[in-house]
Amino acid sequence: MLILAILLQFIGALTTLTTLVFLLAGSPNSTPKQLRAIKWMLRGSALVGLTSLVGGVTAMVNQQNKAACLFGLLPIVACIGLFVWLFLRGAPVPDRDKKDDGW
């Protein structure tokens, strides 16, 4: 169980870094409103990843390997949830009747 906890902590840290890179990659051509949202998502993702890593290591030190596994799964679930939410939210569709579509 300890090996699984260590593996999940490693995968959770990589998931957090991947989430941060994807959010940063999408930010160059964003509006100020989108930039504010991206900054909050970056902060939230980093906080979830760091809290998960600290909680998982603390749980492993206290020999609570099941709790460490759950802490390792937390950033994975958060990343999947964030990307599903962003996908379902979708890109803005321009109004076809306007001359200036706002893009």
Side-chain angles (χ1 to χ4, degrees):
M1 188 63 89
L2 180 62
I3 302 292
L4 181 63
I6 292 171
L7 184 64
L8 284 172
Q9 290 298 315
F10 182 71
I11 293 172
L14 286 179
T15 304
T16 300
L17 289 175
T18 304
T19 303
L20 295 176
V21 168
F22 283 163
L23 287 171
L24 284 173
S27 65
N29 295 325
S30 300
T31 64
K33 183 179 178 182
Q34 291 170 335
L35 283 175
R36 280 192 301 274
I38 288 172
K39 284 181 186 178
W40 280 107
M41 286 185 273
L42 283 169
R43 291 176 186 144
S45 297
L47 183 66
V48 166
L50 186 63
T51 304
S52 172
L53 192 60
V54 169
V57 170
T58 304
M60 282 188 278
V61 167
N62 293 329
Q63 297 176 352
Q64 297 175 347
N65 296 329
K66 289 182 183 178
C69 289
L70 292 176
F71 275 114
L73 285 174
L74 182 64
I76 299 167
V77 172
C79 173
I80 291 171
L82 176 66
F83 285 128
V84 166
W85 176 69
L86 289 173
F87 179 75
L88 292 177
R89 211 171 121 197
V93 178
D95 188 8
R96 299 189 196 287
D97 297 334
K98 290 184 181 179
K99 298 245 183 212
D100 181 21
D101 58 8
W103 286 89

